[in-house]
Amino acid sequence: MKKLLHTSALAAMLVAALASAPAWAQTAAVKVEGAWARASVQGQKGTGAFMRLTAQDGARLVRAESPAAGVTEVHEMKMEGDVMKMRAIPALDLPAGKTVELKPGGYHVMLLDLKAPLAKDTAVPLTLVFQDAKGAESKLSISVPVATTPPGGAPAAGHDHGHKH
């Protein structure tokens, strides 16, 4: 019975994620909202995924994984002088109760070495790996809608992920 309840809870979390409703990772208790990935075109080897993350008790996003990409990394973009720099970061801190936005031109999940273009109006599987204050890891698998603009239709400002890294 316990296993059946656990499976039902996982199914409920997946349904919540697919409906773009908040989904909670079990250990780190992280809510994911507004997730989307930028559509790519033939020959484009990288794109970004964006979302809002809120950790109930504080956590860190330590990595991301996707079968759609050869490499999946957590990235930071920031201005250094008058040059916009992008780099992989080892972890992204999620302070307790504060929403951290992953967005074009800021923190984001980078999908590199795409195995196929990400077409608009499809979805890409993404697993987020969190670490709590005690060092325990938890994973949250979500299905991220692919679009050319963020949810709500506003044009995405910031970095175009069409170039080679």
Side-chain angles (χ1 to χ4, degrees), residues 73-158:
E73 299 175 335
V74 179
H75 274 209
E76 169 187 49
M77 288 188 67
K78 66 179 181 179
M79 292 298 290
E80 289 184 9
D82 58 353
V83 177
M84 180 68 85
K85 300 254 181 166
M86 181 172 67
R87 67 180 177 97
I89 56 174
L92 176 60
D93 288 327
L94 306 173
K98 297 202 183 310
T99 300
V100 176
E101 189 168 6
L102 281 67
K103 62 184 180 181
Y107 295 113
H108 57 280
V109 173
M110 194 72 198
L111 302 165
L112 299 166
D113 298 328
L114 291 174
K115 296 177 181 176
L118 298 185
K120 183 179 183 228
D121 298 327
T122 62
V124 62
L126 186 64
T127 300
L128 303 174
V129 182
F130 301 101
Q131 191 176 68
D132 68 14
K134 296 175 186 164
E137 284 192 357
S138 61
K139 292 185 177 187
L140 178 61
S141 295
I142 58 175
S143 181
V144 179
V146 177
T148 54
T149 60

Side-chain angles (χ1 to χ4, degrees), residues 4-19 21-24 140:
L4 178 63
L5 288 175
H6 182 68
T7 303
S8 296
L10 287 176
M13 269 199 303
L14 181 58
V15 168
L18 290 173
W24 292 90
L140 178 61

Side-chain angles (χ1 to χ4, degrees), residues 3-82:
K3 185 171 183 164
L4 178 63
L5 288 175
H6 182 68
T7 303
S8 296
L10 287 176
M13 269 199 303
L14 181 58
V15 168
L18 290 173
S20 290
W24 292 90
Q26 287 179 311
T27 306
V30 178
K31 183 169 59 171
V32 179
E33 297 176 292
W36 69 287
R38 189 186 307 270
S40 65
V41 295
Q42 193 66 39
Q44 185 176 335
K45 291 296 181 190
T47 194
F50 315 99
M51 64 205 72
R52 291 180 306 280
L53 301 173
T54 308
Q56 189 174 10
D57 298 317
R60 295 165 25 130
L61 174 61
V62 292
R63 69 181 180 279
E65 304 161 352
S66 178
V71 177
T72 307
E73 299 175 335
V74 179
H75 274 209
E76 169 187 49
M77 288 188 67
K78 66 179 181 179
M79 292 298 290
E80 289 184 9
D82 58 353

